Amino acid sequence: EIVMTQSPATLSVSPGERATLSCRASQSIAGSLAWYQHKAGQTPKLLIYHASTRATGVPARFSGSGSGTEFTLTISSLQSEDFAVYYCQQYNKWPPLTFGGGTKVEIK
Amino acid sequence: EVLLVEAGGDLVQPGGSLRLSCAASGFTFGGYWMHWVRHVPGKGLVWISRINPTGRDTNYADFVKGRFTSSRDNAKNTLYLHMNSVRPEDSALYFCAREAPNGGNYYFDSWGRGIPVTVSS
């Protein structure tokens, strides 16, 4: 099973600042990585797939990068609606499909 | 608009059974692979199962094999998760999710809001 590790667990950021979230795979997953945003009580939302492709309707301030075992989600200028929990997910080798533990982005 | 709505969550005793459902609308349900994923506070998201468009091909996480079964009724646009021999550690918020189209893209482009399941005596 591929283990996905996200860091930090919590990220405190002021509105308008840049946020950088990390996701590491226990073995190479090439570019088979997705990022999701989840707010409590709402449906999780696909942000990025294939490591760097923005999903339909996702603002350009969200960008993904990386390949192999190291990946990054960057939010260039945090808006109030961006405070949420973010998860990465690998889909290169499965079953099982595996997720990271999440990074909570909170208001500083 | 794609809509997935889970139902059937409840309080169930250890060793008991429960059936979750996921009603789909806004897309051709019978053309998509579907998944179940659960969320436990503090542990994040955990993948449970995948079912192909016809319902004849399924995959499961090891921790539910032999206990949970995924099925679907394309005429009713509904996905099911049959949960047997439940354990306290199965307590979670259960989501259904749609796999991205075009095959081989094992990530999720639409999710439901989730339904809570509590396993306790």
Side-chain angles (χ1 to χ4, degrees), chain A residues 15-16 39 61 77-84 107:
Chain A
K39 301 178 185 178
R61 63 181 181 273
S77 177
L78 269 159
Q79 306 298 302
S80 58
E81 62 267 29
D82 301 335
F83 293 97
I107 300 175

Side-chain angles (χ1 to χ4, degrees), chain A residues 28-47:
Chain A
S28 178
I29 58 169
S32 301
L33 186 97
W35 289 95
Y36 303 91
Q37 177 192 69
H38 188 209
K39 301 178 185 178
Q42 298 187 20
T43 67
K45 178 184 177 182
L46 175 66
L47 297 175

Side-chain angles (χ1 to χ4, degrees), chain A residues 64-75:
Chain A
S65 63
S67 67
T69 61
E70 300 286 343
F71 300 86
T72 300
L73 175 70
T74 301
I75 311 171

Side-chain angles (χ1 to χ4, degrees), chain A:
Chain A
E1 173 176 329
I2 295 179
V3 177
M4 306 300 292
T5 304
Q6 289 186 244
S7 61
T10 303
L11 187 60
S12 298
V13 186
S14 299
E17 288 188 340
R18 181 186 192 93
T20 302
L21 289 66
S22 295
C23 176
R24 173 177 292 178
S26 60
Q27 59 184 274
S28 178
I29 58 169
S32 301
L33 186 97
W35 289 95
Y36 303 91
Q37 177 192 69
H38 188 209
K39 301 178 185 178
Q42 298 187 20
T43 67
K45 178 184 177 182
L46 175 66
L47 297 175
I48 302 285
Y49 60 93
H50 297 342
S52 61
T53 303
R54 270 190 303 276
T56 302
V58 174
R61 63 181 181 273
F62 291 91
S63 63
S65 63
S67 67
T69 61
E70 300 286 343
F71 300 86
T72 300
L73 175 70
T74 301
I75 311 171
S76 60
S77 177
L78 269 159
Q79 306 298 302
S80 58
E81 62 267 29
D82 301 335
F83 293 97
V85 180
Y86 293 83
Y87 295 96
C88 61
Q89 178 231 330
Q90 71 82 20
Y91 50 94
N92 183 257
K93 294 183 178 69
W94 72 283
L97 297 166
T98 50
F99 295 85
T103 291
K104 180 181 181 181
V105 177
E106 64 176 25
I107 300 175
K108 187 175 182 179

Side-chain angles (χ1 to χ4, degrees), chain B:
Chain B
E1 180 194 5
V2 173
L3 199 60
L4 298 170
V5 180
E6 300 92 343
D10 204 349
L11 170 65
V12 59
Q13 292 190 339
S17 299
L18 198 63
R19 187 185 78 167
L20 304 183
S21 62
C22 170
S25 60
F27 67 102
T28 305
F29 178 70
Y32 285 82
W33 292 80
M34 298 294 296
H35 297 247
W36 288 98
V37 176
R38 71 188 188 189
H39 177 264
V40 177
K43 294 190 176 181
L45 296 168
V46 179
W47 174 79
I48 297 170
S49 67
R50 178 184 190 238
I51 188 167
N52 80 326
T54 67
R56 293 176 183 169
D57 185 17
T58 53
N59 304 97
Y60 297 95
D62 284 347
F63 61 86
V64 301
K65 277 181 182 175
R67 299 190 302 125
F68 292 9
T69 302
S70 182
S71 66
R72 62 193 296 164
D73 185 335
N74 288 343
K76 295 183 178 179
N77 292 332
T78 303
L79 173 72
Y80 300 101
L81 184 67
H82 308 265
M83 306 168 62
N84 297 316
S85 303
V86 296
R87 306 164 180 168
E89 55 265 36
D90 293 322
S91 297
L93 185 65
Y94 284 73
F95 295 94
C96 62
R98 188 181 82 170
E99 183 176 302
N102 301 324
N105 295 317
Y106 311 113
Y107 56 89
F108 314 112
D109 66 355
S110 295
W111 297 67
R113 288 182 179 265
I115 192 78
V117 171
T118 302
V119 182
S120 175
S121 55

